[in-house]
C-alpha cells in the first residue's frame, strides 16, 4: 500500500493539457487524400475506372479518382464527393479498404491516402462526366501508373477477391435470372482463375441459396442451361450459413 507521500508525489506529476489547439499546432502537417478504386464488370471482364494524371511528372500516366479531404468533411463524405465530381454517379456504394502512408508516395510532400473500393455493373452505371479521358480499363491490361496507384489497385483487387468469396456481392452484377455458366464466368473473371465446373456447382448448391426458376436460356450460342435466381431474403435470414467459397 502506498503511503501519503507517494500519493502526493503522483499528484504533483500529473499534467493536464489546457490548450488542445496549441498541442495540435505542434503536430507535423500531413495532407490526407482519398482514392477511389471503382471496379466494373462487363461482358465477363473485370475493369477499373481511371483518369489521366494532371501532373507534369506523371504525364500520360493513368491515375485513380482522388482528391484531398477537405477540413469540413470526413473520409466517407470525401470519397462520395470525389466520385460525384469526377463521374457524376451518385448511386455507388464505396467501402474503405486501407490507408497508404509511404513517406515518398507523393512527389509534392507528405500525403497519406485512404483507398475506397466498389464493384458495379458497367451497363447500369453511366459515366456522366468523362474529363481527362476518364474511361474503363481492363484490369489485366494495366501497366505503370502514377504515384503508387498500381499498388493501391492491386491491394483493392485482393480485397475484392476476398470479399466475393465471403459475401454474395457479385450476384448483384448478374441478371435477375442467370445460368450457372454466367455465375461461374463472374467468379472466374474476378478471381482470375479457371474453376472446375463440377466443384463450383457443388459448392453453390450446398449453400441452398439458388432458386430453380424452371426456365431455360434462350438465343444462346451454346446448349441452353437452366435459369436460377439467388434467394437474397433467405441469405439475409441465414447469413451465418454462408461460408467462404474456397476454390
Amino acid at each position: 500500500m502506498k503511503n501519503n507521500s507517494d500519493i502526493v508525489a503522483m499528484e504533483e506529476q500529473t499534467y493536464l493539457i489546457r490548450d488542445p489547439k496549441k498541442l495540435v499546432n505542434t503536430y507535423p502537417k500531413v495532407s490526407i487524400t482519398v482514392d477511389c478504386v471503382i471496379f466494373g464488370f462487363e461482358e465477363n471482364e473485370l475493369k477499373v475506372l481511371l483518369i489521366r494524371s494532371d501532373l507534369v511528372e506523371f504525364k500520360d500516366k493513368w491515375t485513380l479518382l482522388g482528391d484531398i479531404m477537405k477540413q469540413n468533411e470526413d473520409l466517407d463524405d470525401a470519397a462520395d464527393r470525389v466520385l460525384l465530381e469526377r463521374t457524376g454517379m451518385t448511386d455507388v456504394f464505396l467501402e474503405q479498404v486501407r490507408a497508404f502512408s509511404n513517406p515518398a508516395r507523393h512527389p509534392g510532400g507528405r500525403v497519406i491516402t485512404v483507398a475506397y473500393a466498389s464493384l458495379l455493373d458497367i451497363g447500369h452505371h453511366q459515366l456522366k462526366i468523362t474529363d481527362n479521358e476518364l474511361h474503363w480499363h481492363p484490369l489485366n491490361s494495366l501497366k505503370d501508373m502514377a504515384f503508387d496507384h498500381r499498388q493501391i489497385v492491386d491491394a483493392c483487387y485482393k480485397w475484392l477477391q476476398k470479399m466475393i468469396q465471403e459475401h454474395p456481392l457479385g450476384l448483384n452484377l448478374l441478371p435477375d435470372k442467370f445460368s450457372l455458366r454466367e455465375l461461374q464466368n463472374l467468379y472466374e473473371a474476378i478471381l482470375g482463375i479457371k474453376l472446375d465446373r463440377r466443384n463450383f456447382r457443388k459448392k453453390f448448391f450446398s449453400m441452398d441459396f439458388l432458386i430453380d426458376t424452371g426456365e431455360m436460356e434462350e438465343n444462346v450460342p451454346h446448349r441452353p442451361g437452366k435459369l436460377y435466381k439467388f434467394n437474397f431474403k433467405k441469405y439475409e435470414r441465414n447469413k451465418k450459413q454462408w461460408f467462404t467459397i474456397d476454390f
Side-chain angles (χ1 to χ4, degrees), residues 156-168:
C156 289
Y157 180 40
K158 290 180 180 179
W159 165 85
L160 176 61
Q161 291 178 314
K162 182 174 184 292
M163 287 291 292
I164 198 174
Q165 293 184 82
E166 296 179 350
H167 307 278

Side-chain angles (χ1 to χ4, degrees), residues 6 23 28 32 34-35 37 48 52 61 63 79 84 110-112 117 133 138 162 164 185 192 198 223 225 229 238 241:
D6 290 332
L23 173 66
I32 299 176
V34 294
D35 281 302
V37 183
V48 63
R52 286 283 188 189
K61 289 190 177 182
T63 74
L84 175 62
R110 188 77 167 102
V111 179
I112 294 174
E133 301 180 56
K162 182 174 184 292
I164 198 174
N185 286 343
R198 290 186 178 181
R223 181 180 177 181
K229 298 180 71 173
N238 303 277
Q241 293 183 19

Side-chain angles (χ1 to χ4, degrees), residues 136-167:
W136 294 99
H137 295 243
L139 185 64
N140 59 15
S141 72
L142 294 187
K143 297 180 181 178
D144 187 30
M145 297 179 64
F147 306 100
D148 56 351
H149 286 189
R150 181 57 197 265
Q151 178 188 351
I152 295 175
V153 169
D154 289 344
C156 289
Y157 180 40
K158 290 180 180 179
W159 165 85
L160 176 61
Q161 291 178 314
K162 182 174 184 292
M163 287 291 292
I164 198 174
Q165 293 184 82
E166 296 179 350
H167 307 278

Side-chain angles (χ1 to χ4, degrees), residues 17-208:
I17 299 173
R18 298 181 182 276
D19 190 346
K21 291 185 178 180
K22 184 177 180 180
L23 173 66
V24 171
N25 285 334
T26 67
Y27 292 170
K29 302 303 179 184
V30 178
S31 298
I32 299 176
T33 62
V34 294
D35 281 302
C36 300
V37 183
I38 311 301
F39 293 107
F41 186 70
E42 182 180 48
E43 297 179 352
N44 296 329
E45 187 173 32
L46 191 62
K47 300 180 179 180
V48 63
L49 196 56
L50 302 179
I51 195 169
R52 286 283 188 189
S53 174
D54 53 6
L55 290 184
V56 172
E57 183 167 344
F58 297 126
K59 185 177 182 295
D60 296 328
K61 289 190 177 182
W62 297 101
T63 74
L64 296 166
L65 310 180
D67 195 9
I68 192 167
M69 181 179 68
K70 297 180 179 180
Q71 289 288 341
N72 63 343
E73 61 186 357
D74 63 19
L75 286 166
D76 291 353
D77 289 339
D80 290 337
R81 173 180 57 81
V82 166
L83 198 62
L84 175 62
E85 291 178 351
R86 295 287 191 172
T87 71
M89 294 190 295
T90 58
D91 56 343
V92 177
F93 173 76
L94 292 166
E95 183 161 339
Q96 188 179 126
V97 177
R98 55 164 284 200
F100 294 80
S101 58
N102 188 317
R105 62 171 302 276
H106 197 294
R110 188 77 167 102
V111 179
I112 294 174
T113 195
V114 178
Y116 281 77
S118 183
L119 175 65
L120 51 84
D121 184 341
I122 293 177
H124 293 162
H125 291 79
Q126 182 181 0
L127 296 177
K128 299 176 183 177
I129 301 172
T130 56
D131 296 348
N132 285 29
E133 301 180 56
L134 175 71
H135 69 277
W136 294 99
H137 295 243
L139 185 64
N140 59 15
S141 72
L142 294 187
K143 297 180 181 178
D144 187 30
M145 297 179 64
F147 306 100
D148 56 351
H149 286 189
R150 181 57 197 265
Q151 178 188 351
I152 295 175
V153 169
D154 289 344
C156 289
Y157 180 40
K158 290 180 180 179
W159 165 85
L160 176 61
Q161 291 178 314
K162 182 174 184 292
M163 287 291 292
I164 198 174
Q165 293 184 82
E166 296 179 350
H167 307 278
L169 79 165
L171 277 297
N172 292 313
L173 303 182
L174 295 174
D176 182 50
K177 300 176 185 178
F178 55 85
S179 68
L180 293 178
R181 182 193 299 270
E182 290 176 307
L183 181 62
Q184 184 169 337
N185 286 343
L186 169 68
Y187 274 80
E188 288 181 341
I190 295 176
L191 296 177
I193 58 176
K194 188 68 177 177
L195 300 171
D196 178 77
R197 178 174 173 273
R198 290 186 178 181
N199 185 47
F200 178 85
R201 298 185 177 201
K202 179 180 178 181
K203 284 182 179 290
F204 257 94
F205 280 129
S206 68
M207 289 183 286
D208 197 28

